[in-house]
Amino acid sequence: MAEILLSYAFILSVGLVSDADYKEYLDGQFMKDPENALLLELEWSTSDIPGTIKVIIDYCLENNVDYDIFGRFLMRELEEIYDQENMEIQFFSSKMYSIWEMLPYEMQNEEPFLTLCHADDSMS
């Protein structure tokens, strides 16, 4: 669950997913586990998206997040967003670089995350 929330935090922060999509996922998770302190905190702060993103990232940095699960989900979501939104490659690739910049340092040089760094390199 934390890995998926972390993925949402990154794609939400660069504007590739709507607040409504994030809130729908969060509501579904909270309904399954209403005793979860993180989910409860996030439910209370849905009107403060930047604050919500910070809470998720801080939580994931303090706890053992499975970066493999996070990476697989993030890449799958990015692929789906790109396919559905039919956006220009330069716009999308700039968002990928923005996500890469937000990643914790220890993740930036690991695959599949390193690929995000090169996404907006010149295609000539």
Side-chain angles (χ1 to χ4, degrees):
M1 173 220 34
E3 294 83 3
I4 296 172
L5 283 171
L6 185 59
S7 297
Y8 270 108
F10 286 119
I11 59 179
L12 184 61
S13 67
V14 298
L16 289 176
V17 69
S18 71
D19 295 2
D21 289 339
Y22 159 73
K23 289 175 185 175
E24 181 181 327
Y25 173 76
L26 178 61
D27 291 344
Q29 292 303 304
F30 183 70
M31 295 302 285
K32 292 177 189 174
D33 187 7
E35 301 298 318
N36 184 300
L38 172 63
L39 296 175
L40 180 60
E41 181 178 358
L42 294 174
E43 280 288 329
W44 278 98
S45 65
T46 56
S47 62
D48 176 21
I49 294 300
T52 296
I53 291 168
K54 182 177 178 356
V55 167
I56 294 169
I57 292 172
D58 288 349
Y59 174 86
C60 290
L61 289 175
E62 293 170 7
N63 295 279
N64 290 331
V65 173
D66 187 326
Y67 292 130
D68 289 333
I69 293 172
F70 163 67
R72 274 184 260 147
F73 184 80
L74 177 65
M75 294 304 168
R76 187 171 44 240
E77 284 298 301
L78 292 173
E79 179 181 16
E80 190 175 302
I81 289 167
Y82 181 74
D83 288 344
Q84 288 178 355
E85 300 299 322
N86 195 27
M87 58 185 70
E88 291 184 23
I89 188 74
Q90 290 172 314
F91 174 79
F92 185 75
S93 61
S94 70
K95 299 294 184 179
M96 298 306 94
Y97 185 76
S98 295
I99 290 173
W100 179 81
E101 286 184 305
M102 290 185 286
L103 291 171
Y105 179 76
E106 63 272 5
M107 291 174 61
Q108 288 181 337
N109 294 318
E110 299 293 324
E111 288 297 343
F113 311 111
L114 184 59
T115 304
L116 301 174
C117 173
H118 303 292
D120 74 337
D121 287 350
S122 174
M123 294 183 201
S124 59

